[in-house]
Amino acid sequence: MLRELFINLCLLISIHYVLRFTFRSWPTPRRGLPHAARLAAFAAASLLLLLFPAHPAPGVVVDLRAVPVAFVTLYFGGWAGLITALPVIAYRVWLGGVGVYAAVPSLLAVIAVAALLRRRLPAVGPLFWPHWPGLILIFGVNGLPLLLLPGGPQLFAQVYPLLLLTNVLGALIAWGILSERFHVLRLTSQWQSAAMTDPLTHLGNRRQFDLDLTAMGPGDALLLVDIDHFKRVNDTFGHPVGDEVLQEVAQVLQREGRGRDRAYRYGGEEFAVILRDVPETSLTRVAERLRLAVQQLPLPVINHPVTVSIGAASWRPISPAQLVERADEALYRAKAGGRNAVCLWTPAAAAPTPTETRAVQG
């Protein structure tokens, strides 16, 4: 039996080395087809381990099938663990033998204990290793029903200690492999986020904007937003106050947008907003709402409202650079017309004078 369980342990480690590549992003998606495929992969891992068991007695097979199921339970929850275990239980019942009366309760008990410990025992990550005693609790229930089989005490004494040892050891090694994968994905995600985020406003930066710009399509629109007389704010009140103004405007643009819209710091005191699925007839109204929201910002430090000029352009089957040029042209006209205005780009032949709305100056 020792040789068979050692082979099963080596197989478990090899399987988890392959399973690590099913995790491709951080945080891990927990719904949809990728999630379902991942649960199926862990179920297949348990089934594969069940194909190479040890046979301590007629009708009784032992292996490390509980390790993948326990991981899924700890990481994704009890229902996910149960779904992963169902094909394994079905196959074990199909195999038959007296051992099925111990195998099914054992696996269900592992899921139950793992679900109870889920809040306290991380499945992966730097905090996983100090919690190794929790693995003894999880896998300690695996094999206890052997006592109920004919000749149970003797069979239990022969099987249980080695089964518990290999389960705990297998989980430590296999989950450690997954932990390293998650660590790399987490760091990569943090680096990508830092590379795509403006450190002052925490909006997407120019690099992120250029990337998202290429993904625009029919129904989308682009706004270029420029803070009026921003240099005067810096010269009069200093750069710390100027930074505060940038942060406040950024929060307004982010807060006033819908969930699928996104704001960016385009450069200096200029921002960009990509609007998704906005009718061209509503574009001026949406931009005007943003302009008014900025104007209503409470900024007692500078004793006067902050205003912005906005140039808007709807998506057309043109290059991203041309779309930016159109929005920039509209922004220029808004500023040339007196600032604190929204200007919508329209074809010159159809509308020589841009559509414009301007706040009433008090």
Side-chain angles (χ1 to χ4, degrees):
M1 189 176 70
L2 177 60
R3 184 175 68 88
E4 288 84 356
L5 283 179
F6 177 74
I7 294 173
N8 216 245
L9 176 62
C10 294
L11 182 60
L12 174 75
I13 296 170
S14 301
I15 290 173
H16 276 73
Y17 184 82
V18 175
L19 286 174
R20 69 196 290 266
F21 295 108
T22 67
F23 296 92
R24 307 177 65 86
S25 62
W26 184 266
T28 304
R30 294 171 183 258
R31 63 182 62 185
L33 185 59
H35 180 58
R38 188 174 295 110
L39 295 186
F42 275 90
S46 291
L47 286 171
L48 187 59
L49 292 166
L50 185 53
L51 293 177
F52 300 93
H55 298 270
V60 178
V61 296
V62 293
D63 48 67
L64 307 183
R65 79 191 80 140
V67 176
V69 174
F71 173 82
V72 170
T73 304
L74 284 174
Y75 195 66
F76 294 112
W79 284 110
L82 184 60
I83 291 171
T84 304
L86 287 178
V88 183
I89 292 174
Y91 181 65
R92 181 63 188 89
V93 171
W94 181 80
L95 287 177
V98 67
V100 73
Y101 299 105
V104 174
S106 291
L107 194 55
L108 293 177
V110 166
I111 296 172
V113 175
L116 290 174
L117 295 179
R118 184 168 177 250
R119 300 294 182 184
R120 299 179 177 272
L121 178 63
V124 293
L127 299 179
F128 161 64
W129 298 102
H131 290 79
W132 64 266
L135 299 182
I136 297 178
L137 293 177
I138 292 175
F139 297 111
V141 298
N142 187 31
L144 288 180
L146 288 170
L147 291 168
L148 304 178
L149 299 182
Q154 181 180 358
L155 183 63
F156 179 84
Q158 175 189 355
V159 172
Y160 184 80
L162 188 57
L163 181 63
L164 177 60
L165 176 63
T166 51
N167 270 280
V168 172
L169 182 61
L172 285 171
I173 299 174
W175 298 357
I177 292 172
L178 297 179
S179 291
E180 290 301 319
R181 175 67 171 179
F182 288 171
H183 179 65
V184 170
L185 291 174
R186 188 183 296 111
L187 288 179
T188 301
S189 176
Q190 291 172 352
W191 292 336
Q192 288 177 341
S193 178
M196 298 291 186
T197 303
D198 175 64
L200 177 64
T201 62
H202 304 294
L203 298 179
N205 60 13
R206 180 65 178 271
R207 184 182 291 109
Q208 182 68 63
F209 170 74
D210 290 340
L211 184 65
D212 292 348
L213 188 66
T214 61
M216 293 181 64
D220 297 341
L222 172 64
L223 305 180
L224 291 183
V225 183
D226 190 85
I227 301 177
D228 298 326
H229 304 297
F230 183 73
K231 185 177 185 300
R232 187 183 303 170
V233 173
N234 274 337
D235 293 343
T236 305
F237 302 99
H239 288 281
V241 173
D243 289 348
E244 182 180 347
V245 170
L246 289 172
Q247 291 170 333
E248 292 291 339
V249 171
Q251 289 181 15
V252 168
L253 297 179
Q254 191 170 40
R255 182 176 65 246
E256 294 295 324
R258 301 161 301 171
R260 55 186 179 272
D261 300 333
R262 188 165 187 180
Y264 311 82
R265 188 180 181 190
Y266 190 65
E269 69 272 21
E270 194 169 355
F271 298 86
V273 181
I274 292 179
L275 303 173
R276 303 292 185 183
D277 298 323
V278 55
E280 189 168 1
T281 54
S282 303
L283 184 53
T284 300
R285 177 177 53 81
V286 173
E288 182 69 11
R289 178 170 56 83
L290 294 178
R291 184 192 67 78
L292 289 173
V294 172
Q295 186 173 338
Q296 294 167 4
L297 272 174
L299 290 170
V301 178
I302 60 177
N303 299 319
H304 64 78
V306 172
T307 63
V308 294
S309 300
I310 302 178
S314 292
W315 184 89
R316 293 288 188 276
I318 55 178
S319 70
Q322 289 174 305
L323 180 62
V324 173
E325 287 176 4
R326 290 183 176 185
D328 195 52
E329 179 184 338
L331 175 61
Y332 174 79
R333 293 182 182 180
K335 296 180 76 69
R339 294 183 171 85
N340 193 21
V342 172
C343 183
L344 174 64
W345 186 93
T346 54
T353 302
T355 303
E356 184 176 300
T357 64
R358 182 167 297 106
V360 176
Q361 303 297 322

